[in-house]
Amino acid sequence: QVQLVESGGGLVQPGGSLRLSCAASGRIVSINIMGWYRQAPGKQRELVAAIGSRGSANYADSVKGRFTISRDNAKNTVYLQMSSLKPEDTAVYYCNADRIRTPWDVRYDYWGQGTQVTVSS
């Protein structure tokens, strides 16, 4: 069974920083794409950043220059370093892993349970 577990959310003042982590567990050989999405109240879930197994990353325009995504393939873990946070970054942040290779098959589109990030003074 593959599971994604996020950590690191919380309350932070505008201009502050937070680091999110997401660890994938189970019999995992490799993960192709890992990413972070977010969903604010009344809005659709949107891509924040994604990173391939070799480190190529892409970002939403709204977070470029402020957020950095990284991963540790040996730990099947993805990170999101968030800086210069704004109130509009407030949302539930979800970890996603796609094309997970196990010893038996390839699995697609797994999600974590979400972690709340609130940016407020």
Side-chain angles (χ1 to χ4, degrees), residues 23-44:
S25 62
R27 291 292 305 274
I28 296 171
V29 174
S30 63
I31 303 175
N32 189 2
I33 305 292
M34 300 189 80
W36 290 95
Y37 289 71
R38 66 186 180 187
Q39 187 166 19
K43 294 188 177 181
Q44 289 189 332

Side-chain angles (χ1 to χ4, degrees), residues 2-3 6 18 21 33 43 55 70 79 88 91 104 112 114 116 119:
V2 175
Q3 288 187 323
E6 300 126 334
L18 277 177
S21 300
I33 305 292
K43 294 188 177 181
S70 61
Y79 306 95
E88 50 263 43
W104 310 280
Q116 177 70 45
V119 184

